[in-house]
Amino acid sequence: MRISDLFKKQKRTLSFEIFPPKKESALANIDETLKVLSELSPDFISVTFGAGGSANCNRTIETAKKIKHIYGVEPVVHLTCLHYTKSEIDSFAEEMAKEGIENILALRGDATPDVPQKEDFKHASDLTSYLKDKYDFCVLGACYPETHPESANIVSDIKGLKTKVSAGAEGLLSQLFFDNDAFFKFRDECRIADIDVPIIPGVMPVINAAQIRKMVSVCNATFPERFQKIINRYENDKEALFDAGMSYALSQIIDLLVNDIEGIHLYTMNNPRVAKRICEGIKNIV
Ligand code: FAD
């Protein structure tokens, strides 16, 4: 099913994000994760895409095929374009179409020192219009409640986002954030700019203090004091941090839900325990 049809059909979506196995040999191990995640009945599961190299990309598409054909859940394939030519994008798109995969999260991706960039696509909006013109996918895009780190300001960021939506993005999945007010302000700014597709907040429950500090600095995310105190207090006690991290994420999610968001996209970090705990916490709410 196309995610755009899901958005029309139901009030809210619940989705999970996973990354594909890092090695070919680990492709079988992803089954354990997918089994638990699919039992939680998400509306879709999105699979991230490596920065370059066909082996990485094939594992993304292989994982998406499993999600669709073995676990009966709708996959969304992340597809980056900075390191690919049009003909390389065509071969990924044709493979997906052949498998009945209907949904793509069109991304630019980031420059990496060891993978050469190609000239065909500059921005995610270029990939979006290319896919919309040539194929019949539902295309989603990424958005940044606290602005993309490369953007000079919110105005240029929203302009870029508007171009992406005009190019055909039918919904937006957000970067993680820990301060809901930042998301609500961003959503208002998008609506003022007539960006009227669903904007789905991305929530990352914390299970690892070092990882979260890194994410905060990479993504430019606000690190609220209430949240910092939790990390500082429990960073050396894995189980305590897990409980506290899940509680923080649940309080974020409940606040989002009562503020009329159109879905929740959970960054699962391939940890089924995280997804299970969060779903248990909102089973009577979503
Ligand atoms: P763009 O939309 O191209 O934006 C990049 C910058 O250019 C921004 O500053 C934007 O304001 C500006 N801009 C956008 N359009 C225009 C335009 N037409 N003209 C001028 N300026 C413009 N990375 C991966 O490698 N693999 C993944 O699987 C992956 N999954 C992600 C999932 C989500 C939900 C999110 C939020 C990010 C993900 N990323 C992933 C990271 C993403 O690739 C990086 O954040 C990258 O730096 C930007 O990608 P984008 O698609 O948002 O780019």
Side-chain angles (χ1 to χ4, degrees), residues 50-144:
S54 59
N56 272 340
C57 312
N58 290 343
R59 281 196 288 276
T60 296
I61 297 176
E62 285 307 313
T63 305
K65 283 192 215 168
K66 280 184 176 226
I67 292 170
K68 185 167 182 80
H69 300 308
I70 302 179
Y71 296 97
V73 177
E74 212 46 62
V76 172
V77 169
H78 296 207
L79 184 62
T80 65
C81 59
L82 201 58
H83 305 98
Y84 299 104
T85 59
K86 286 182 179 168
S87 87
E88 286 169 310
I89 291 292
D90 284 335
S91 68
F92 298 134
E94 280 155 20
E95 167 80 358
M96 285 185 253
K98 193 178 85 196
E99 292 296 331
I101 293 170
E102 294 178 276
N103 304 289
I104 294 179
L105 175 63
L107 297 151
R108 184 198 66 180
D110 285 315
T112 41
D114 43 343
V115 188
Q117 290 176 32
K118 309 276 169 69
E119 301 291 318
D120 285 357
F121 304 97
K122 258 194 138 139
H123 287 289
S125 52
D126 303 326
L127 176 62
T128 303
S129 46
Y130 184 74
L131 292 170
K132 291 306 281 184
D133 287 348
K134 199 161 176 186
Y135 299 95
D136 185 30
F137 292 109
C138 164
V139 179
L140 307 177
C143 66
Y144 302 83

Side-chain angles (χ1 to χ4, degrees), residues 145-149 175-179 182 212-224 227-228 252:
E146 299 186 81
T147 73
H148 186 275
Q175 181 60 283
L176 61 86
F177 57 90
F178 301 106
D179 175 4
I212 226 65
R213 289 199 181 96
K214 188 173 163 218
M215 294 301 289
V216 162
S217 75
V218 170
C219 308
N220 257 349
T222 303
F223 203 3
F227 184 46
Q228 278 183 48
Q252 246 196 301

Side-chain angles (χ1 to χ4, degrees), residues 16-19 21 27-42 45-47 62-68 70-73 268 270 272:
F16 298 147
E17 180 168 312
I18 62 161
F19 49 84
L27 203 51
N29 300 347
I30 195 84
D31 282 298
E32 242 169 80
T33 303
L34 290 178
K35 184 171 181 300
V36 180
L37 294 185
S38 62
E39 284 165 1
L40 297 169
S41 306
I45 297 179
S46 80
V47 193
E62 285 307 313
T63 305
K65 283 192 215 168
K66 280 184 176 226
I67 292 170
K68 185 167 182 80
I70 302 179
Y71 296 97
V73 177
T268 70
N270 289 24

